[in-house]
């Protein structure tokens, strides 16, 4: 998909879902996606359910030039309840994935991460 920027240039975008809405009760990583030469992500973290005693959810974006060696790009703000956050991430290499860490006593979160790469 492409769109025209304010300065008249054409920009190619890629819609992606880094984590489909699902309930998680343990720390994990999302699947990796190939971005090609797109280096900027515009993502939405959507937390639709949270439970447990003092539950926390940390979601970070990782990138890789080869799909094997990963480095952190940046993270969303820590979630403790339901809500959404939009954030842009730049400096991405060819591959990208999310990593999520749950904390608290018996934490459970239902969340998704989706958006586009430019």
């Amino acid at each position: 998909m492409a769109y025209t920027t304010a300065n008249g240039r054409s920009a190619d975008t890629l819609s992606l879902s880094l984590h489909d809405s699902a309930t998680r009760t343990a720390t994990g990583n999302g699947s990796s996606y190939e971005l090609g030469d797109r280096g900027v992500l515009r993502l939405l973290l959507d937390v639709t359910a949270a439970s447990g005693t003092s539950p926390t959810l940390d979601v970070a974006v990782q990138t890789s030039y080869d799909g094997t060696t990963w480095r952190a790009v940046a993270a969303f703000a820590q979630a403790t309840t339901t809500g959404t956050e939009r954030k842009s991430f730049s400096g991405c290499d060819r591959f990208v994935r999310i990593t999520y860490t749950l904390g608290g006593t018996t934490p459970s979160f239902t969340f998704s991460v989706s958006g586009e790469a430019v």
Side-chain angles (χ1 to χ4, degrees):
M1 179 177 202
Y3 70 95
T4 303
T5 64
N7 64 4
R9 291 180 154 173
S10 179
D12 183 34
T13 63
L14 172 69
S15 294
L16 50 111
S17 177
L18 295 178
H19 185 275
D20 292 333
S21 183
T23 300
R24 299 291 181 208
T25 57
T27 296
N29 296 320
S31 299
S32 67
Y33 290 87
E34 186 172 357
L35 301 178
D37 61 357
R38 299 169 190 92
V40 176
L41 300 175
R42 298 177 187 145
L43 299 177
L44 170 69
L45 169 63
D46 185 15
V47 180
T48 56
S51 64
T53 303
S54 302
T56 60
L57 171 66
D58 294 291
V59 178
V61 173
Q62 294 182 329
T63 191
S64 171
Y65 65 91
D66 62 1
T68 302
T69 305
W70 297 93
R71 68 174 174 86
V73 174
F76 289 96
Q78 185 178 73
T80 57
T81 187
T82 60
T84 61
E85 181 184 359
R86 289 188 187 280
K87 191 167 183 176
S88 292
F89 301 87
S90 60
C92 295
D93 293 322
R94 184 174 181 175
F95 298 93
V96 68
R97 72 179 182 184
I98 64 157
T99 182
Y100 49 92
T101 305
L102 280 72
T105 304
T106 62
S108 176
F109 283 90
T110 303
F111 68 100
S112 63
V113 179
S114 60
E116 65 183 4
V118 181

